[in-house]
Amino acid sequence: MSAENTTQQNNFIRTIIDEHNASNRFGGRVQLRFPPEPNGYLHIGHVKSICLNFGLARDYNGKCNLRFDDTNPVKEEDEYVRAIKEDIKWLGFDWGETEFYASDYFDTLYEYAQKLVGKGLAYVDDLSSEEIRAYRGTLKEPGKNSPWRERSVEENLDLLERMKRGEFPDGTKVLRAKIDMSSPNMNMRDPVMYRILHARHHRTGDKWCIYPMYDWAHGQSDSIEGVTHSICTLEFEDHRPLYEWFLDKLEIHKPQQIEFARLNLSYTLMSKRKLLKLVNEGIVDGWDDPRMPTIAGMRRRGVTPAALRNFSESVGVAKSNSVVDVAQFDFAVREDLNKTALRAMAVLDPIRLVIEDYPEGKTEWLEGENNPEDESAGKRKIPFERELYIERADFMFDPPKKYFRLAPGREVRLKHAYYVTCTRYETDDEGKVTTVYASHDPETRGGWSNDGRKVKGTLHWVAVNHAVEAEVRLYDHLFTEANPSAARDDESFYAIINKDSLKVLPRVKIEPAIADCAPGTRFQFLRQGYFCADLKDHTAGRPVFNRTTSLRDSWAKIKKKS
Ligand code: ATP
Ligand code: MG
């Protein structure tokens, strides 16, 4: 199970488990499952569910199975199975031997179906799907019984067998539970259990041409595995009576279904169907595009597994739906990266700074700590020379009073190096600054003055002759609206896509020490944010860094105020 660092807070699910343990309902056993459908990559909503289920298993010395809910052959693929496993492991959880597939239970489910038919509790229906919908009634009106509802047990068993053998075309027959067409709960109005679908399944191949519906497969799979607590999201609350009806009628082990509120994040979409659309239409560069809310995307962006687990814990487990501010997620990312990311200097929008009283051709190797939060991260050598790069935004020739960076006559600290004072500057024909000139104080080596003289500004810089050029990718939200799931049709969906969610800076200057870092290495570029060497494109010859998040900490401020 692992991922030891995050112990869960108390929540209503733990209260239920404690009660079951006290009453010995499951003999003290706690067994959970995480049941992804392999029809897309896992996203941050799934992270919530994974941390909850695997976390409970860890804290109660129980088990958590991984079960692929692969009952829909049309949308499911092995690529997703592989990616889902990789992502759960990367998050820090381990399902041990218990990797299951709902499709492993197709034979048992079929026997269970025969059992219900035998008890007169399921029947083969010849109505078309449109007719079934029409007969179902509405929330205000009861449904109508199908004319095929009273078939004999023998006829139903025979038809079911022939459905399975492939004698009927898609959509011509279904197996339905015989419950109550006037139930106030629509899920109880003779729900469909099996449909005919002549489609190849990613694991069972062509063995089956009838496939179980979600409600028919899910609870029985839980039961077969011996799950004690089947945790799902709120929209399944109305399905619980059906979940229990099947298990009661089959007289098999009955887990307890418990619903909790799904995680929603502002500016973030979590519908796999819509995420797939972004991928298929090339609006993003695959499921692992760093702007995607998928685990694979966030990993490429530079988010750490610990940050995801901490965030998931910090939002708690609720019984009613709400939307979490994405700033709270950024806060968790920064909090973890601040402890672990290596510090380095990179100039994103460079202009030249020439130290005129520093000898030409001389290089000094100065020292900088790799992480002030962690001494064990050690130090690195940083070359200093007469010509440096600084940020364009760090110089103004006509600055306002509160500007504490470089301006004619003003003194600043160059991080890890010297105090420098601006003497003059040059512009191009359009008046754009090209070069700034300064003198330095040799007594301030390392960036500290002995005479107690203070400077307000500290700038980052990179030596021109030792600089390595890198590509830096800056990201913004994929959507311009806080609630992108509100877009119901294509037109409104396309309208809220943020056209500026990716900005590529092709000529960033970085310190030589970090150019040959391994893909995935995380840095704090001083004053610029957290960055991660891209997992796919970064090489020592062509360094590529993704910005994980900026340094701005709006959530910390929000938290302080409240
Ligand atoms: P979608 O509707 O986008 O296809 P899903 O919920 O059907 O998503 P599954 O693969 O079936 O996706 O989900 C696996 C598990 O993850 C389920 O138990 C589901 O309840 C849980 N889950 C999915 N999304 C969220 C979310 N936003 N918050 C919490 N749990 C979630
Ligand atoms: Mg689902």
Side-chain angles (χ1 to χ4, degrees), residues 35-37 39 46 69 214 218 233 235-236 262 272:
E37 184 180 348
N39 62 349
H46 295 115
D69 222 323
Y214 174 87
H218 198 84
T233 43
E235 65 275 23
F236 289 100
R262 61 171 49 231
K272 279 189 278 186

Side-chain angles (χ1 to χ4, degrees), residues 255-273:
Q256 177 67 51
Q257 177 179 306
I258 305 170
E259 309 85 18
F260 75 106
R262 61 171 49 231
L263 171 69
N264 298 301
L265 259 192
S266 61
Y267 295 95
T268 310
L269 201 66
M270 293 201 212
S271 145
K272 279 189 278 186
R273 188 176 57 77

Side-chain angles (χ1 to χ4, degrees), residues 343-347 363-366 380-385 388-389 461-470 508-517 523 525 538-541 543 545:
R343 270 50 171 183
M345 295 196 286
V347 178
T363 302
E364 259 183 287
W365 289 89
L366 302 168
R380 70 187 187 287
K381 295 282 186 199
I382 311 165
F384 184 84
E385 300 158 354
L388 312 171
Y389 290 115
W461 53 275
V462 173
V464 168
N465 283 319
H466 285 82
V468 174
E469 209 160 74
V508 169
K509 312 293 180 182
I510 60 172
E511 285 180 45
I514 65 169
D516 63 353
C517 69
F523 294 96
F525 289 164
H538 171 86
T539 61
F545 293 91

